[in-house]
Amino acid sequence: MAKFHFSLQTVLEHRAREVLQIQQQLAKEQKLLQEMHAHILHLQKEMHQAYQSQQQLLSNINGTVSAELISAQGLHGYVQKLRLNEIAASKLLMQQQQKIKKINQILLQAKIKARSLEVLSEKQKEAFNKNIQKQEQDLLSEISSRRKIQYT
């Protein structure tokens, strides 16, 4: 019995590999995005703690220049630095989100291309199977008609 062979099988396999590679890249980029989120949350927490420490030092100052005031000024500079780092990290986060959006679009197109080949393969296999069934039916009909001729 003849075996079905899809003429574009290598292309279909290539498309499936492409989809898999894009999915792996997407997973890697999403992991990076999560790490960026965690970094921003850490910066925000650190900034909040430094701001609270600064406020506490400022509330303890009794109007004279002291070590607390110098510490409070140092904390203010540190909070400003953290704020700038948070802004920079947020920009990178937005860029990463755009990159993930583009990869998702590429993945969708790759899936569409692979699926169209899968559908074509399924249709050709169905046509192949129908042809095989028709050949078998014709063979059975021929055998049956020969037997009728032999017995008459």
Side-chain angles (χ1 to χ4, degrees):
M1 182 173 155
K3 185 176 178 183
F4 174 73
H5 175 72
F6 182 51
S7 60
L8 297 173
Q9 186 64 36
T10 55
V11 177
L12 178 58
E13 290 168 357
H14 174 73
R15 301 278 182 185
R17 280 191 306 275
E18 269 184 342
V19 168
L20 183 62
Q21 288 173 343
I22 294 168
Q23 287 172 332
Q24 289 170 343
Q25 180 185 6
L26 180 61
K28 195 168 100 176
E29 298 298 337
Q30 287 174 332
K31 182 180 178 188
L32 182 60
L33 181 70
Q34 289 173 346
E35 290 171 359
M36 292 172 131
H37 272 295
H39 178 67
I40 289 173
L41 288 175
H42 174 72
L43 285 174
Q44 289 172 343
K45 183 179 177 183
E46 201 171 328
M47 198 169 27
H48 180 71
Q49 289 173 345
Y51 180 76
Q52 284 181 333
S53 295
Q54 178 188 9
Q55 292 303 316
Q56 187 176 10
L57 281 173
L58 288 174
S59 68
N60 292 338
I61 296 176
N62 56 10
T64 61
V65 175
S66 65
E68 283 107 7
L69 182 59
I70 293 170
S71 293
Q73 289 172 345
L75 278 173
H76 178 73
Y78 180 64
V79 169
Q80 291 299 91
K81 180 182 170 192
L82 288 173
R83 190 168 288 133
L84 290 174
N85 286 343
E86 180 195 15
I87 290 169
S90 294
K91 286 180 182 178
L92 290 174
L93 182 77
M94 288 175 31
Q95 290 173 354
Q96 186 67 15
Q97 288 171 332
Q98 289 298 318
K99 186 175 185 179
I100 288 174
K101 186 177 178 181
K102 287 178 184 177
I103 292 172
N104 272 325
Q105 291 170 347
I106 292 168
L107 177 62
L108 179 62
Q109 291 301 316
K111 283 183 175 182
I112 289 171
K113 289 177 182 178
R115 183 64 189 141
S116 64
L117 285 175
E118 289 171 359
V119 168
L120 179 62
S121 173
E122 290 167 4
K123 286 183 179 182
Q124 285 184 3
K125 188 170 185 173
E126 283 177 24
F128 176 81
N129 288 336
K130 283 182 183 179
N131 188 24
I132 293 292
Q133 285 177 343
K134 185 176 181 331
Q135 288 175 3
E136 289 174 353
Q137 187 64 38
D138 290 347
L139 180 63
L140 291 174
S141 295
E142 184 180 329
I143 292 172
S144 175
S145 66
R146 284 186 184 176
R147 283 190 181 167
K148 284 182 185 178
I149 293 173
Q150 284 178 351
Y151 292 121
T152 55

